[in-house]
Amino acid sequence: MKKKLLSMILAVTMVAAMTTGCGGSEQASSGGAKDSDKLVGVAMPTKDLQRWNQDGSNMKEQLEKAGYTVDLEYASNDVATQVSQVENMISNGCKLLVIASIDGESLGTPLQQAKDAGIPVIAYDRLLMNSDAVSYYATFDNYMVGTKQGEYIVEALKLETEAGPFNMEIFTGDPGDNNARYFYGGAMDVLQPYIDAGKLVVKSGSVDFADVATANWSTETAQSRMEAILSSYYADGTQLDVVLCSNDSTALGVENALDNNYTGEWPVITGQDCDIANVKNMIAGKQSMSIFKDTRTLATQVVKMVDAIMTGAEAPVNDTETYDNGALVVPSYLCEPVFADVDNYKELLIDSGYYKESDLQ
Ligand code: BGC
């Protein structure tokens, strides 16, 4: 009899464990609420680029710490995959969406579904375009990223005092990523006067945004474009003085191309993200600078926004003018990007715990 009672208790305990365990690794929500009451969908573009892996895991960790349940999805840079991931998040009953889009224009249908279901949407790092379903935008100051890159070039080449001319080539990002226009615009606002004055010369003639864009921010695409430019304009020994690269994945492609096909003095090269491969190149003298955007800071800011929205409070913003997505000016929080180079990377990246010293060896 005693034995029978024991096995009944065991069976009941096992069923209970199985039922509460169906949220997988997700933590139980606080305050006795159901998991789905605190379910946040986080849609990220791709695992191919280092930064999005960090963004995703920071977001998941910080949201879970704050008591939310997280559905984190990556879309392999495929727009149709991201559309269906967001649609699934909505039908699974998420209460809020955080989306870093692949193409800011392509999520109109799921965004409308979110709006119809009363689900608030935060655009993460990249603005979601042409939709009034976007509640907030959290990002780094994208224009400032570009101006910092441009100003670095002005100083590195001493453009104010040196006569030049200096040869420059330009690589920016994906045309479907609204940020790319801000990075490019910020840098070109600084550099265009020197191009106009003939101090900076773009031998390839590719200066317009459409001509210097890099689909999907692909390292390989940047590498083959740089190889083509080198063979057409620099194979005769012409010196390449500077390459404006909007981010690290494009800078890496340019550096690979130079490694294989260029024997002149190594040019000044800009970047953004402080990806491990690029910090290593910075240490090796192959990349001059990068812009550090601490993804932990962005995640913290987004968690504050999520908390405010979920409790019916006003979310913290510091810009209500810049980011017009075509349907509305989206209230935004802009974090400050920081300049990084070989002289300050240890303090910025290692002392702050962003990387371990061994990551960079
Ligand atoms: C981000 C950059 C990143 C690029 C490529 C942009 O939207 O702001 O940090 O380098 O996408 O992933």
Side-chain angles (χ1 to χ4, degrees), residues 282-333:
M282 235 154 56
I283 297 166
K286 290 183 182 172
Q287 181 167 324
S288 317
M289 60 85 81
S290 189
I291 300 288
F292 179 46
K293 303 198 299 188
D294 192 329
T295 51
R296 298 168 299 189
T297 312
L298 184 56
T300 307
Q301 207 52 50
V302 176
V303 173
K304 280 188 197 158
M305 276 184 172
V306 172
D307 263 337
I309 296 170
M310 297 290 248
T311 55
E314 291 265 307
V317 294
N318 61 8
D319 185 304
T320 51
E321 282 170 13
T322 309
Y323 286 99
D324 186 342
N325 80 344
L328 78 158
V329 179
V330 184
S332 308
Y333 192 96

Side-chain angles (χ1 to χ4, degrees), residues 25 88 101 128 232 263 269:
S25 62
N88 285 339
S101 58
L128 294 158
S232 302
T263 50
I269 300 177

Side-chain angles (χ1 to χ4, degrees), residues 251-271:
L252 194 61
V254 165
E255 289 151 18
N256 293 344
L258 289 167
D259 251 337
N260 301 334
N261 303 280
Y262 180 74
T263 50
E265 202 179 310
W266 199 267
V268 167
I269 300 177
T270 62

Side-chain angles (χ1 to χ4, degrees), residues 45-46 49 51-52 55 77 101 124-126 137 139-140 142 145 173-174 177-180 183 216-217 246-249 272-273 275 291 293:
T46 174
L49 255 73
R51 76 152 289 186
W52 303 111
D55 286 279
N77 259 341
S101 58
Y124 183 95
D125 194 85
R126 298 172 170 173
Y137 180 36
T139 191
F140 285 84
N142 296 304
V145 169
D174 190 278
D177 177 353
N178 190 54
N179 288 355
F183 303 146
N216 272 335
W217 295 92
S246 286
N247 86 329
D248 279 356
S249 60
Q272 160 181 207
D273 291 335
D275 283 349
I291 300 288
K293 303 198 299 188

Side-chain angles (χ1 to χ4, degrees), residues 26-87:
E26 270 108 56
Q27 294 181 347
S29 307
S30 55
K34 284 189 276 112
D35 266 4
S36 63
D37 289 343
K38 293 203 128 197
L39 181 60
V40 175
V42 179
M44 288 282 148
T46 174
K47 284 196 158 183
D48 289 354
L49 255 73
Q50 188 198 318
R51 76 152 289 186
W52 303 111
N53 293 280
Q54 277 163 292
D55 286 279
S57 55
N58 288 335
M59 281 298 300
K60 189 167 156 60
E61 190 184 318
Q62 294 195 26
L63 282 169
E64 286 181 349
K65 228 182 241 164
Y68 296 97
T69 307
V70 180
D71 179 4
L72 169 64
E73 303 291 342
Y74 286 87
S76 308
N77 259 341
D78 181 59
V79 169
T81 304
Q82 189 165 56
V83 168
S84 72
Q85 286 174 339
V86 175
E87 286 177 345

